[in-house]
Amino acid sequence: MAQEKEVASGREWRITMADGSSEALAPDAGFAKIAWLALKGLIGGLVLKVWKFLKKAWDLGHNEPRKVIHCLKVGMALTVVSLFYYMRPLYEGVGGNAMWAVMTVVVVFENNVGATLCKSINRICGTFLAGFLAIGIHWIANRSGEEFEPFITGISVFLLASAATFSRFIPSVKIRFDYGIMIFILTFSLVSVSGYRVDKLMDMAGQRLTTIIIGTSLCIIITVVICPIWAGEELYMLITRNMDKLAGSLDGCVAEYFNDSGGLADSDKESDKKVLGYKCVLSSKGTEEAMANFARWEPAHGRFNFRHPWKQYLKIGASMRDCAYCIEALNGCVNSENEAPEFTKKHISNIAIKVSSDSSMVIKELAKIMKTMKKSSTIDFLVGEMNNAVLELQEDLKSLPALFIPQPLQEAECPENKSTEQDPKKAVPLMEIIPLVTLASLLIEIVSRIEGMVSAVEELAGLAEFKSVNDRKTNQNQTTNKVVPDHQGALQRV
């Protein structure tokens, strides 16, 4: 039973146990203390999350300083354009439409020159065309009388907005002018509706167009003059990086399959990153298309002329993805649970590694051509070496069936050997040899797709007028061997 006992500091509660002993009960913590502990834990967790966020932001800015520079440029543009609101002479010049200049900077300023130019030109053209049509239709509607004015305005908004929206579904228009069409619809609707109630429509349209020109011009000047980031250069660097990753993935996959330490000398984490580099190639299609589209809007810069063949980079990227798909299948063979016997692997390991090594050398040479923008004097020789290695691989595959005899046939021909230990080379089931043949077939297919990459890069070299490298000694050592598929799909020397 519970007993109450007076103490000097207050009351003490004790409970009597079954054996007659008593035990004091600790008083419950007060509500204020519980609330303080909860608030303390909440503040501590919030501070920890803010610290982690700031650390991630610092790491991002440290690793990619160009993003920090872009943020500073946006802040600079907004500060300058805000002067039209802060300074009375400028404000009186553009009126209350000064806010449109601020909005233009916010929506137009992008992190590269091409994207900023694309949006700026689209916004100016869309605004000018929509304003011109809206004023013309307003003039016609105003001359038609008050009864027909709302009908003419409403019908014009319906027809032009519907037609402009439909044009956004056309792929060629959507890629380059989608933003301009959206601005056209917005501006035409606003000017048409405003013109029905506003008397000074010309002044309003002129001020709005002026503020948009001011905002876009400011964005273009800042993004071109202060630490410019060119979309064309970004595309160029992306393609060259992906080529190096593709070569590393090809070498890593084949070396891992045959347990060759020479191809995987780095740590396990770095080796996995090297092998999986092809995934960057597979996921870069959208970025390549966007960068190529923005690069067309850019002026001549660096080593790139005004009419540089940016579309050809998309062809090179597509041929790289074709090769990357085969490497992905090759990586599936490496991670497959069905493994071929070791002695069959050793039969083609040397020549398979040579094929992958020669193929990766061709890819690296293509990357070198892209980086230096100079035609290679050794690419034909490297392609010939790669194709010769493929021919040797095919010859080894033809001799592969002689290494084993199917188990049922062996038992039928040599029944006295059932009780004796059999030679492992003569007892390999057919299903165990399929993974090895699949890997060899993928290597042959990769070689044919690399030749497509070579053709695309050589076409770019011709269109962009890459410089030639005169190396007589190398030219004398070049071979003209080339391997092409025949009607049955086999590779032949011509």
Side-chain angles (χ1 to χ4, degrees):
M1 60 179 295
Q3 297 178 352
E4 184 179 355
K5 182 179 179 180
E6 294 286 346
V7 294
S9 60
R11 295 180 179 273
E12 182 185 38
W13 290 88
R14 304 182 68 87
I15 184 170
T16 303
M17 308 299 292
D19 56 356
S21 61
S22 62
E23 181 178 356
L25 295 177
D28 295 337
F31 176 77
K33 186 176 182 180
I34 295 175
W36 166 249
L37 293 176
L39 181 61
K40 184 178 179 181
L42 180 62
I43 294 175
L46 182 61
V47 171
L48 183 61
K49 289 182 178 179
V50 171
W51 172 255
K52 290 182 178 179
F53 173 78
L54 293 177
K55 187 177 182 301
K56 290 181 179 179
W58 175 264
D59 293 338
L60 178 62
H62 182 267
N63 296 330
E64 301 184 35
R66 291 192 301 178
K67 292 184 177 180
V68 179
I69 295 175
H70 169 68
C71 297
L72 297 178
K73 291 194 295 183
V74 173
M76 183 186 302
L78 287 174
T79 302
V80 173
V81 80
S82 298
L83 296 177
F84 286 90
Y85 246 79
Y86 299 149
M87 301 180 67
R88 182 170 296 277
L90 297 177
Y91 180 81
E92 291 177 353
V94 296
N97 290 306
M99 184 59 66
W100 282 91
V102 178
M103 294 176 60
T104 299
V105 172
V106 173
V107 300
V108 163
F109 211 125
E110 295 290 340
N111 63 339
N112 61 72
V113 178
T116 303
L117 284 171
C118 176
K119 277 196 168 184
S120 299
I121 295 174
N122 271 273
R123 188 173 183 86
I124 292 175
C125 294
T127 302
F128 178 78
L129 182 60
F132 179 77
L133 289 176
I135 292 173
I137 292 175
H138 173 73
W139 182 83
I140 295 174
N142 194 23
R143 295 295 185 274
S144 301
E146 296 183 357
E147 296 181 357
F148 296 99
E149 183 176 359
F151 294 101
I152 294 176
T153 304
I155 292 173
S156 64
V157 171
F158 171 77
L159 293 177
L160 289 177
S162 300
T165 304
F166 178 79
S167 67
R168 298 180 66 187
F169 292 103
I170 303 174
S172 58
V173 176
K174 183 177 180 62
I175 291 175
R176 306 192 66 179
F177 307 108
D178 183 70
Y179 181 71
I181 294 173
M182 184 176 63
I183 294 299
F184 171 83
I185 297 172
L186 176 63
T187 304
F188 182 80
S189 302
L190 290 177
V191 174
S192 298
V193 174
S194 300
Y196 185 71
R197 298 295 182 185
V198 178
D199 296 332
K200 298 181 179 180
L201 180 61
M202 291 293 295
D203 294 340
M204 182 191 69
Q207 290 176 354
R208 187 166 298 178
L209 183 60
T210 301
T211 53
I212 289 176
I213 292 176
I214 292 173
T216 53
S217 301
L218 183 62
C219 291
I220 293 173
I221 293 172
I222 291 179
T223 193
V224 172
V225 174
I226 303 176
C227 299
I229 301 175
W230 303 98
E233 188 175 353
E234 291 289 311
L235 175 62
Y236 161 78
M237 294 175 61
L238 176 64
I239 294 294
T240 54
R241 279 198 309 267
N242 284 345
M243 279 189 179
D244 291 331
K245 291 178 181 179
L246 202 64
S249 296
L250 179 57
D251 273 341
C253 285
V254 177
E256 184 177 351
Y257 184 81
F258 292 105
N259 297 321
D260 182 68
S261 59
L264 297 174
D266 301 329
S267 62
D268 294 340
K269 185 176 181 180
E270 292 178 352
S271 299
D272 292 340
K273 185 178 180 180
K274 178 181 178 182
V275 170
L276 299 178
Y278 68 89
K279 291 189 175 181
C280 296
V281 182
L282 295 177
S283 60
S284 63
K285 180 180 180 181
T287 305
E288 291 173 4
E289 292 178 348
M291 291 299 176
N293 178 37
F294 295 145
R296 299 176 194 172
W297 297 89
E298 295 177 344
H301 58 279
R303 296 181 293 176
F304 308 105
N305 298 325
F306 179 70
R307 299 190 62 83
H308 191 74
W310 298 113
K311 286 186 177 181
Q312 188 62 27
Y313 286 83
L314 298 181
K315 294 182 180 179
I316 296 174
S319 62
M320 290 169 59
R321 277 187 293 277
D322 289 340
C323 186
Y325 285 126
C326 285
I327 296 179
E328 185 176 32
L330 192 68
N331 188 47
C333 292
V334 173
N335 299 323
S336 176
E337 297 180 357
N338 299 324
E339 296 184 2
E342 289 297 328
F343 77 92
T344 56
K345 282 186 179 182
K346 292 180 180 179
H347 181 69
I348 67 167
S349 62
N350 292 334
I351 185 60
I353 293 174
K354 187 177 186 305
V355 170
S356 68
S357 177
D358 292 344
S359 301
S360 64
M361 288 180 63
V362 172
I363 298 175
K364 291 176 182 178
E365 186 65 21
L366 294 177
K368 182 180 178 181
I369 295 174
M370 298 282 294
K371 292 175 183 177
T372 60
M373 287 192 171
K374 294 181 180 179
K375 297 179 180 179
S376 173
S377 58
T378 61
I379 187 64
D380 292 336
F381 173 76
L382 294 176
V383 171
E385 288 291 319
M386 177 182 67
N387 290 325
N388 290 336
V390 170
L391 292 175
E392 294 179 15
L393 177 60
Q394 289 180 329
E395 292 297 327
D396 286 351
L397 287 177
K398 292 179 181 179
S399 62
L400 194 61
L403 296 178
F404 69 95
I405 300 175
Q407 183 71 22
L409 181 61
Q410 182 186 10
E411 293 179 357
E413 294 180 352
C414 305
E416 65 278 2
N417 292 337
K418 291 182 180 180
S419 60
T420 62
E421 184 179 357
Q422 297 175 350
D423 185 1
K425 292 185 178 181
K426 296 182 180 180
V428 181
L430 182 60
M431 293 300 296
E432 292 186 7
I433 212 71
I434 290 179
L436 191 64
V437 176
T438 302
L439 181 131
S441 301
L442 288 173
L443 283 177
I444 296 173
E445 182 64 25
I446 288 173
V447 168
S448 65
R449 299 194 180 192
I450 289 176
E451 290 184 350
M453 290 175 55
V454 173
S455 300
V457 173
E458 288 180 346
E459 185 178 353
L460 173 65
L463 294 174
E465 298 180 353
F466 285 2
K467 297 180 180 179
S468 300
V469 178
N470 297 322
D471 191 348
R472 296 181 179 179
K473 182 177 179 180
T474 306
N475 291 335
Q476 291 175 358
N477 295 330
Q478 286 182 2
T479 62
T480 57
N481 292 336
K482 188 175 181 181
V483 178
V484 296
D486 61 2
H487 295 289
Q488 286 74 27
L491 298 177
Q492 294 180 345
R493 184 183 301 171
V494 295

